[in-house]
Amino acid sequence: MTKITRAQLEEAAALVHGVMPATPQYAWPLLKARLGVEVVVKHENHTPTGAFKVRGGIVYLDRLRRERPDVRGIVSATRGNHGQSLALAGARAGVPVTIVAPHGNAREKNAAMRAFGAELIEHGEDFEAARSLLPQLAEERGYEVVPSFHPDLVAGVASYALELFTACPDLHTVYVPIGLGSGICGLIAARDALGLDTQIVGVVSENADAYARSLEAGEIIATETSRTFADGMATRQPDPDAFAIIRAGAARIVRVSDPEVAEAIRIYHEDTHNLAEGAGAAPLAALAREIRNGDAVFPEGARVGVILCGGNIDRGVAARVLAGETPEPA
């Protein structure tokens, strides 16, 4: 994948901002008091789908509709936020959308995808199994398969990074979760296009750490399972293009446990009164872990960013987390 220029970022942002306003970034004082460093939260939980992925769908469908106005439909796999993005964008573009999600997927994410207009099919026990059905569906229906990682998706989600770095160009470090990789790659693309030296730290679940293992090995390493309640990070197989960008542009990848993610959800609720899904809370969990363990030391007066990438957590899961529990993976 070639580098994204500032002009391309601004073009993608213009498309996104034709559908939704820029999301806010706030430095919450209670987080600073708790962690000892000023923490700027990028609130991607404040989008029309409750997550950052909506940006990529808007850009992808715009290009597809212009280049292939006769496209019959699209099909993709998801744990929820990518599917909502395509469903919203597909409805706006008049393109039928079929989404495949694994059995046991978040009930409220499934409901949202259907509400945005997608046909939802449940297949397999995890994301990789759900994705395996796509070639068959595409052939049967004459639909285009939309991957979870694609230059259009990266350019779209990079608009959140353009907003963040334009508002806060002095951020020392930004922590961002890794699912298939569009979020962190968009952040790296915007950082590089703007000529900043901000460190970018990826965050994965210790139970779904394929990207961390791959970075350590210098080659792609898949895992057998991805059992974490933070479903936005439940990935077993890294994308080669995403891995190349992460390897070249990320400072490091931090693993976090499910109990640490659950605690970060509680911290968000207590200190900011925002509800975060598991992947959305993972960057805060990683920052807290690194400060606690002395793995990250920031200069006096430094500001650190965390990407609250989404707030789509089922009510029952949120209730258990806020009550002090760590939910079992679905």
Side-chain angles (χ1 to χ4, degrees), residues 204-271:
V204 298
S205 168
E206 64 181 20
N207 297 323
D209 64 346
Y211 273 101
R213 294 189 190 192
S214 299
L215 191 62
E216 292 162 355
E219 61 181 1
I220 290 179
I221 303 294
T223 58
E224 292 296 322
T225 62
S226 55
R227 288 187 52 77
T228 170
F229 85 92
D231 53 6
M233 301 190 297
T235 300
R236 290 194 283 116
Q237 178 67 50
D239 180 273
D241 290 335
F243 174 65
I245 294 170
I246 293 167
R247 187 180 183 187
R252 59 190 177 277
I253 294 178
V254 178
R255 296 172 173 86
V256 291
S257 68
D258 275 10
E260 288 173 320
V261 170
E263 177 61 16
I265 293 172
R266 291 188 284 270
I267 290 171
Y268 264 128
H269 192 269
E270 183 174 342
D271 290 359

Side-chain angles (χ1 to χ4, degrees), residues 129-271:
R131 186 162 60 173
S132 70
L133 186 63
L134 298 184
Q136 175 186 331
L137 288 174
E139 183 176 358
E140 290 174 353
R141 302 181 181 202
Y143 282 11
E144 176 168 314
V145 174
V146 181
S148 297
F149 188 88
H150 184 278
D152 289 340
L153 301 178
V154 175
V157 301
S159 61
Y160 86 72
L162 182 64
E163 294 167 10
L164 175 62
F165 286 136
T166 300
C168 306
D170 61 340
L171 291 173
H172 181 277
T173 303
V174 179
Y175 291 78
V176 57
I178 303 175
L180 252 291
S182 64
I184 186 172
C185 290
L187 199 64
I188 291 170
R191 189 262 322 263
D192 292 349
L194 295 174
L196 302 175
D197 59 4
T198 307
Q199 291 189 16
I200 294 175
V201 178
V203 184
V204 298
S205 168
E206 64 181 20
N207 297 323
D209 64 346
Y211 273 101
R213 294 189 190 192
S214 299
L215 191 62
E216 292 162 355
E219 61 181 1
I220 290 179
I221 303 294
T223 58
E224 292 296 322
T225 62
S226 55
R227 288 187 52 77
T228 170
F229 85 92
D231 53 6
M233 301 190 297
T235 300
R236 290 194 283 116
Q237 178 67 50
D239 180 273
D241 290 335
F243 174 65
I245 294 170
I246 293 167
R247 187 180 183 187
R252 59 190 177 277
I253 294 178
V254 178
R255 296 172 173 86
V256 291
S257 68
D258 275 10
E260 288 173 320
V261 170
E263 177 61 16
I265 293 172
R266 291 188 284 270
I267 290 171
Y268 264 128
H269 192 269
E270 183 174 342
D271 290 359

